[in-house]
Amino acid sequence: MEDLGWLFMKFAITSNSEDTVLTLFDTDTGKVLKIETDERGFDYTSDGKKERPPHKPFGITWNKDNIFIANRSNLLIYDSDLKFVKSINGILDTNTHQIAYYENQIIATMTRQDCIRFINLEDYSYETFHIDDGWDEYQPSHNYHINSLVAKDNLLYIMLHNRARKHSQILIFNLDTREKEDLIGTMINDANGLYLNGNTIGYLNSYKHNIHLYHDRHKNSNYNGSEKIYEPSFNGYLRGMAGDKNTIVVGHFPPQKRHFRGFGDAYISIFENKKFVKEYRIDDIGGINDIRRIDGEDFCHHNKHLFPFEF
């Protein structure tokens, strides 16, 4: 019998629209709910460059009570009714990408500093781990362009984009020992997203329009048995990934210069058992930054808490 679980999935999406901080989408009904931007969360410190607007919501995560959204160097906090609570200004990087909730911490990609930041939600104190320099004392750099992370089973998987200096890599960091544990090589540049399904790791080849799945990896070696899933209808740049055991969801949008990414429509494509099944268009949200599934398990997030807002 055909598995039609993908027909009944709901997602939270961040994008570049200046009017929206978060978009919720239901594949069953086609319902779209756009949460309006609150200017109290704007970041006016981002480089002073016109192409970097004060509103660029990216990473999404949550605990049982709150939803957290990274907007450049600000951590935005929303309650379970998706009402703005506050912004913790300046605690992140000016180009923060994904974030994750783990044991009363927010773990954040400090993308333009080559760091991972661990923020205690009790008092917003934090510790910072630099990819080369280690803990606390570090010299900010921008060699790795860290864009994605997933915390699972006391390990943190970190995507090192590497800015085309070399192929993208996945760093495995042990959350118990607080040390780097392993480094996985890939065969592509411009990798985005992370999908963890047992012994399989997946990610997007953003410009080549592929999903890559690597199986049966052994410690201290690259993955063997790689697969590429290609869909010719992909529209431009791939970013944003969610999914479960059988389903992978990919965000994509037309390639644009930075200052135009807040305009136009975006798309999500659904793959069931590695086969393309359907594409959805979401109007007027601009380029997609991140996607999280909110109604079931998400192998790109592995958050044990249910999404606190009822959609």
Side-chain angles (χ1 to χ4, degrees):
M1 181 180 294
E2 184 180 4
D3 184 354
L4 297 178
W6 58 270
L7 281 171
F8 309 100
M9 300 179 85
K10 299 176 182 179
F11 302 101
I13 302 167
T14 50
S15 67
N16 283 283
S17 169
E18 65 179 11
D19 300 320
T20 306
V21 69
L22 192 68
T23 299
L24 305 184
F25 179 71
D26 185 334
T27 63
D28 178 27
T29 64
K31 179 181 177 182
V32 176
L33 176 63
K34 296 180 179 180
I35 306 304
E36 187 175 339
T37 296
D38 191 308
E39 292 189 12
R40 289 175 290 178
F42 279 15
D43 176 9
Y44 292 102
T45 67
S46 298
D47 303 327
K49 297 180 180 179
K50 292 181 179 179
E51 66 266 28
R52 298 191 184 278
H55 178 68
K56 184 191 175 183
F58 207 118
I60 318 158
T61 194
W62 56 83
N63 60 17
K64 65 183 180 64
D65 298 313
N66 295 106
I67 295 111
F68 305 93
I69 301 171
N71 178 43
R72 296 206 177 280
S73 68
N74 295 347
L75 179 64
L76 312 184
I77 303 176
Y78 284 76
D79 66 16
S80 59
D81 293 320
L82 273 174
K83 302 297 184 185
F84 181 87
V85 176
K86 59 183 173 180
S87 173
I88 310 302
N89 294 340
I91 199 168
L92 301 174
D93 179 65
T94 58
N95 194 22
T96 306
H97 281 44
Q98 280 195 335
I99 62 175
Y101 176 84
Y102 180 81
E103 295 187 353
N104 206 38
Q105 299 176 99
I106 297 297
I107 307 177
T109 57
M110 303 287 284
T111 303
R112 299 188 72 207
Q113 299 185 42
D114 289 340
C115 294
I116 299 296
R117 180 155 289 175
F118 298 79
I119 302 169
N120 186 331
L121 290 176
E122 291 293 331
D123 57 7
Y124 305 110
S125 61
Y126 58 80
E127 294 182 283
T128 305
F129 181 83
H130 187 277
I131 299 303
D132 292 325
D133 298 339
W135 288 101
D136 297 327
E137 294 294 333
Y138 66 93
Q139 182 65 40
S141 56
H142 190 201
N143 296 317
Y144 299 105
H145 193 80
I146 303 167
N147 62 33
S148 309
L149 51 77
V150 182
K152 180 178 184 292
D153 298 334
N154 85 299
L155 296 176
L156 182 67
Y157 296 76
I158 303 165
M159 178 60 77
L160 309 180
H161 177 281
N162 287 335
R163 304 184 71 203
R165 297 180 305 115
K166 55 185 176 181
H167 289 149
S168 299
Q169 298 165 295
I170 301 163
L171 174 66
I172 300 179
F173 181 88
N174 191 305
L175 292 165
D176 290 338
T177 65
R178 291 161 51 95
E179 295 179 347
K180 292 187 285 189
E181 184 165 297
D182 204 358
L183 187 65
I184 302 169
T186 78
M187 298 302 292
I188 69 168
N189 298 323
D190 305 310
N192 264 291
L194 282 166
Y195 167 84
L196 304 181
N197 180 4
N199 290 326
T200 297
I201 289 187
Y203 48 84
L204 303 177
N205 191 344
S206 294
Y207 285 107
K208 299 294 185 181
H209 304 163
N210 294 325
I211 305 168
H212 282 244
L213 298 175
Y214 282 68
H215 310 289
D216 302 322
R217 179 182 170 275
H218 302 287
K219 189 172 175 62
N220 298 320
S221 67
N222 292 337
Y223 268 83
N224 296 313
S226 65
E227 294 183 76
K228 294 181 186 178
I229 303 172
Y230 174 71
E231 169 50 41
S233 72
F234 274 147
N235 185 2
Y237 189 76
L238 309 188
R239 186 160 67 190
M241 192 181 189
D244 58 22
K245 182 177 181 180
N246 299 313
T247 307
I248 294 178
V249 180
V250 178
H252 51 108
F253 54 93
Q256 296 171 320
K257 293 183 178 179
R258 291 186 190 278
H259 53 285
F260 291 124
R261 288 182 185 172
F263 304 97
D265 307 333
Y267 303 82
I268 60 172
S269 289
I270 311 286
F271 293 80
E272 187 74 12
N273 294 317
K274 306 173 189 174
K275 301 291 186 183
F276 173 77
V277 290
K278 189 164 184 177
E279 179 183 270
Y280 297 88
R281 185 182 74 196
I282 306 175
D283 295 337
D284 299 320
I285 64 169
I288 288 174
N289 291 324
D290 203 6
I291 300 175
R292 299 296 199 194
R293 187 180 179 188
I294 61 174
D295 67 329
E297 60 183 353
D298 185 351
F299 286 8
C300 299
H301 193 196
H302 288 283
N303 189 338
K304 67 180 181 181
H305 293 287
L306 299 175
F307 190 66
F309 178 79
E310 184 68 30
F311 175 58

